[in-house]
Amino acid sequence: MYDYGLSILEQYGLNAESSARTRGALLCRTEKGLVIIREFGGTEKKLQKQQELLEKLSEQGCLVDCYIPNQEGALVTRDRDGIPYTIQQWYEGRECDTRSREDIFRSIRMLAQIHAKMQMPVVEFYVEPSLEDEYQRHNQELKKIRSFIRKKGAVCSFEKLYLATVESFLTAGERTLTELRESDYAGLRKEAIEQGKVCHGEYNQHNVLMLKPGTAVTNFEHWGFDVQISDLYRFMRKILEKYSWDVRIGMDMLRAYHQKKPVTVSEWENLRIRFSYPEKYWKLANYYYVHKKTLVSRKNTEKLQNLVRQKENWEYFIRKCFESYPF
């Protein structure tokens, strides 16, 4: 019977008092506390750098999911079938509840706190791609998908809605790319790389745990060297989509971050530009194109419909929230 990596505990000198499956992993209670076992699919070289980052944060009082080395000192352990696993320390807590403003602002403040500490000597291979290149590529893809649907003919609701709305979203994408090029983004990126600033890469409600004595941050697998405001953008966007682009909560999140780690004028402008790009629209279109299904899922169509409905709120949020530098 497949044990989901449970058997590797013996290579750590640990025993499982109890275990439970959780989000693609195995949570175990051991004599040394709570640990989480995951199948490993990355590179050990990047994992070692990630461990260095986590140990640095831990030494500075941050609650993070450091890896536990096995009895031979390795971070990756293979079971009897040769499947690689890792074990990390874990916490008694719950994920950030996006319905709770207290949880949201705790998460924002924690992000600012770890950002102030997340610096390492740069490894060129782990520098994130340029946002300018990303926006240019996405705009080209939106045009390609438009041509694809026009050529074959719009049949389903998703395709018809895409053709009816793509011009407006594409215009926003091209305008944003121009604004990015004219902004101080190149300077921000150069500074981030020179100073070795590190981003979490996937900072969202699932990776923030609310504990009684504090807040833990987990799942740093997507870390990289980049402008740290990108983490704030990702978290804020996830929340704002759930709150129909509420300007007040957006401003409050921005202030909460600024109180812990001041946001410069250039960072604020970069955040505005990131919000101006129709990223969710591109994601839905790209998902449709990559899969090229004969029958587009109802869920994807509903997401596009909801996105189009929220377009006015999104545009209003950008105008009001970024009317003038607020600090």
Side-chain angles (χ1 to χ4, degrees), residues 94-146:
R94 57 174 178 78
E95 291 184 0
C96 166
D97 183 355
T98 56
R99 296 166 298 182
S100 164
R101 297 202 174 204
E102 181 184 349
D103 281 13
I104 290 169
F105 296 121
R106 275 179 66 180
S107 300
I108 287 282
R109 288 190 290 269
M110 179 51 61
L111 177 62
Q113 288 172 33
I114 65 171
H115 272 172
K117 300 174 173 66
M118 287 170 68
Q119 286 180 267
M120 293 196 303
V122 172
V123 179
E124 192 67 33
F125 192 73
Y126 305 131
V127 172
E128 292 299 310
S130 162
L131 188 62
E132 181 181 335
D133 292 343
E134 182 179 310
Y135 284 174
Q136 186 171 2
R137 187 176 68 254
H138 289 351
N139 288 344
Q140 290 170 345
E141 288 163 348
L142 288 174
K143 293 174 184 176
K144 185 177 181 180
I145 296 165
R146 178 183 61 186

Side-chain angles (χ1 to χ4, degrees), residues 272 275-276 314-323:
R272 180 194 68 79
F275 273 115
S276 300
W314 167 56
E315 292 171 335
Y316 179 77
F317 165 80
I318 296 166
R319 286 198 307 273
K320 296 300 290 183
C321 191
F322 295 96
E323 202 166 24

Side-chain angles (χ1 to χ4, degrees), residues 127-131 184-194 225-227:
V127 172
E128 292 299 310
S130 162
L131 188 62
D184 189 36
Y185 169 66
L188 274 177
R189 188 166 185 263
K190 183 173 182 287
E191 178 187 88
I193 294 168
E194 285 177 348
F225 298 98
D226 201 0
V227 178

Side-chain angles (χ1 to χ4, degrees), residues 1 5 17 28 45 49 57 73 90 107 118 138 142 157 176-177 192 226 239 266 277 322:
M1 184 176 177
E17 297 169 7
C28 300
K45 191 174 180 180
K49 297 300 293 183
L57 289 172
W90 207 248
S107 300
M118 287 170 68
H138 289 351
L142 288 174
S157 298
T176 303
L177 177 57
D226 201 0
I239 300 300
S266 292
Y277 192 82
F322 295 96

Side-chain angles (χ1 to χ4, degrees), residues 177-228:
L177 177 57
T178 299
E179 290 177 352
L180 182 70
R181 286 170 172 162
E182 294 172 351
S183 74
D184 189 36
Y185 169 66
L188 274 177
R189 188 166 185 263
K190 183 173 182 287
E191 178 187 88
I193 294 168
E194 285 177 348
Q195 296 181 10
K197 294 182 179 180
V198 180
C199 290
H200 180 282
E202 201 171 58
Y203 195 86
N204 58 45
Q205 68 271 23
H206 304 301
N207 296 330
V208 184
L209 299 179
M210 300 296 150
L211 319 177
K212 287 183 180 179
T215 308
V217 183
T218 65
N219 299 320
F220 284 74
E221 288 79 14
H222 296 277
W223 71 272
F225 298 98
D226 201 0
V227 178
Q228 289 180 326

